[in-house]
Amino acid sequence: MACVKADGYGHGLSVAADALENCVDGFAVACMEEALALRKEHADKPLLVLEGLQSADEIELAITQNIALCICAEHQLRWLESHPGARRPRCWLKVDTGMHRMGLQPGDTPAAYSQLRSLVPPSSEIVLCTHFARADERGDNGCAEQLRRFDQAVSGISEPQSCANSAAILSLPAVARSWVRPGYMLYGGSPFADTTPAQLNLLPGMEFSARVINLHTVAAGERVGYGGRWQANRETRIATIAAGYGDGYPRLAPDGTPVLIEGKRLPLAGRVSMDMLTVDVSEHPSVRIGSEAVLWGADPGVDEIAHHVGTIGYELLAALPQRALREVHYGPMRSAPSSTATAVQRTSTK
Ligand SMILES: *Cc1c(COP(=O)(O)O)cnc(C)c1O
């Protein structure tokens, strides 16, 4: 079950779904709006809404559009029960074993399961699932305790099970069970702070790049960008790149964050603006107007950029706006990433 929520982790919902369609048995999204958008393009694929129901109105849509719901609260069960008519959508049932965000309490699970079982057709499987809070951490990360609570809550119930996100798939293969729910790893990111995608044999699905649109020299002592954060300690050649936080590059990136231009990692110099950012290219004379600057991709990886900013790659990908022009390439990954989000110079002003 491939997670394509948050606009396919920023890659575009239909881009991600098209690329993954033949490799997976279904798609998971966060909410009904995402499921409906996906259903328009993938008429037959199993779809699952991970948050279940935000309102009782969504039940009819789930039935008519054949969208499965992950039932993860008592009130969602009550809505299902009081829904008029005999038809019910396909359902998963989530147990809260420690994440404490969504899910039935373990002690309430057997009764909730019986109730749900009586509502949905006997032939319709109810996948029992839970979600780990700290599977991305090494050592005693609570997964064993969560799994113990899960197994206890569902003991004696003979239905398929699903426990693993990317981190659990990669670090606890024994918990795979019937369905796995990978998200981030499908896009080539590492869910672990101490492990690179390459170490996990993962290749990035996205390259985020933009062009050098200006090159100039600033004298020693001059400052670059808003707030004058960066100051030249020598005569410096500055390249201006046509992407900023309005394109999804994080404004909080500090000076020194790497940008790859003409094969060399060069340091960000100055605060990121809405539409542009600036790089010290003094050490690389082959940078020219029109050179492509890789903001993240194979090198530097999105996780590395996220680390500089104090967040995770997930957030940078999920925050990519629609604004960036996307070039999509399907096919086997070679040295270059297969999907490119390119920020083009726009006519807009800041
Ligand atoms: C988002 C999500 C996943 C996927 O998590 P990754 O860390 O991206 O693999 C799996 N299960 C649930 C319930 C989720 O919300």
Side-chain angles (χ1 to χ4, degrees), residues 3 5 9 50 94 101 130-131 163-167 169 181-185 187 191 314:
C3 290
K5 60 198 183 185
Y9 287 58
L50 292 164
K94 182 175 225 167
R101 193 173 60 174
T130 194
H131 191 54
C163 300
N165 56 4
S166 295
I169 291 165
R181 308 186 306 267
Y184 196 51
M185 66 182 288
Y187 306 94
Y314 288 70

Side-chain angles (χ1 to χ4, degrees), residues 177-247:
R177 312 255 162 129
S178 319
W179 286 88
V180 289
R181 308 186 306 267
Y184 196 51
M185 66 182 288
L186 296 174
Y187 306 94
S190 165
F192 308 107
D194 61 357
T195 311
T196 64
Q199 288 170 320
L200 297 166
N201 236 339
L202 296 168
L203 293 164
M206 176 191 293
E207 181 178 278
F208 180 26
S209 66
R211 294 204 178 281
V212 173
I213 54 167
N214 196 21
L215 270 174
H216 61 288
T217 301
V218 298
E222 288 298 308
R223 291 174 179 274
V224 172
Y226 286 116
R229 183 179 74 182
W230 186 87
Q231 186 172 25
N233 59 13
R234 55 172 181 179
E235 192 177 85
T236 303
R237 192 140 175 84
I238 293 286
T240 304
I241 316 293
Y245 62 81
D247 303 287

Side-chain angles (χ1 to χ4, degrees), residues 118-142:
S118 69
L119 291 170
V120 304
S123 60
S124 172
E125 288 180 332
I126 298 172
V127 181
L128 303 165
C129 65
T130 194
H131 191 54
F132 296 123
R134 294 167 48 204
D136 57 315
E137 295 174 25
R138 305 296 186 183
D140 180 15
N141 56 14

Side-chain angles (χ1 to χ4, degrees), residues 3-151:
C3 290
V4 294
K5 60 198 183 185
D7 199 32
Y9 287 58
H11 294 65
L13 179 63
S14 54
V15 170
D18 289 350
L20 292 164
E21 167 153 45
N22 296 326
C23 326
V24 298
D25 296 312
F27 295 122
V29 291
C31 59
M32 188 58 74
E33 289 81 358
E34 290 179 323
L36 294 172
L38 210 48
R39 181 51 85 220
K40 283 195 190 124
E41 297 172 34
H42 297 269
D44 304 321
K45 205 78 179 170
L47 303 183
L48 173 69
V49 174
L50 292 164
E51 290 170 2
L53 293 163
Q54 292 188 22
S55 76
D57 313 338
E58 294 178 344
I59 296 173
E60 197 55 37
L61 282 169
I63 295 169
T64 56
Q65 299 296 310
N66 189 22
I67 292 165
L69 304 173
C70 186
I71 297 302
C72 33
E74 295 283 353
H75 68 270
Q76 295 183 353
L77 256 182
R78 286 200 298 277
W79 287 340
L80 269 187
E81 191 174 43
S82 47
H83 185 70
R87 297 179 72 201
R88 293 292 180 277
R90 276 173 215 285
C91 291
W92 289 34
L93 185 66
K94 182 175 225 167
V95 187
D96 176 9
T97 56
M99 180 75 172
H100 299 317
R101 193 173 60 174
M102 296 296 265
L104 278 298
Q105 290 315 297
D108 299 334
T109 301
Y113 170 74
S114 304
Q115 191 186 357
L116 190 56
R117 189 71 275 175
S118 69
L119 291 170
V120 304
S123 60
S124 172
E125 288 180 332
I126 298 172
V127 181
L128 303 165
C129 65
T130 194
H131 191 54
F132 296 123
R134 294 167 48 204
D136 57 315
E137 295 174 25
R138 305 296 186 183
D140 180 15
N141 56 14
C143 289
E145 172 60 13
Q146 285 195 256
L147 209 56
R148 193 191 61 74
R149 294 180 188 178
F150 179 71
D151 287 337

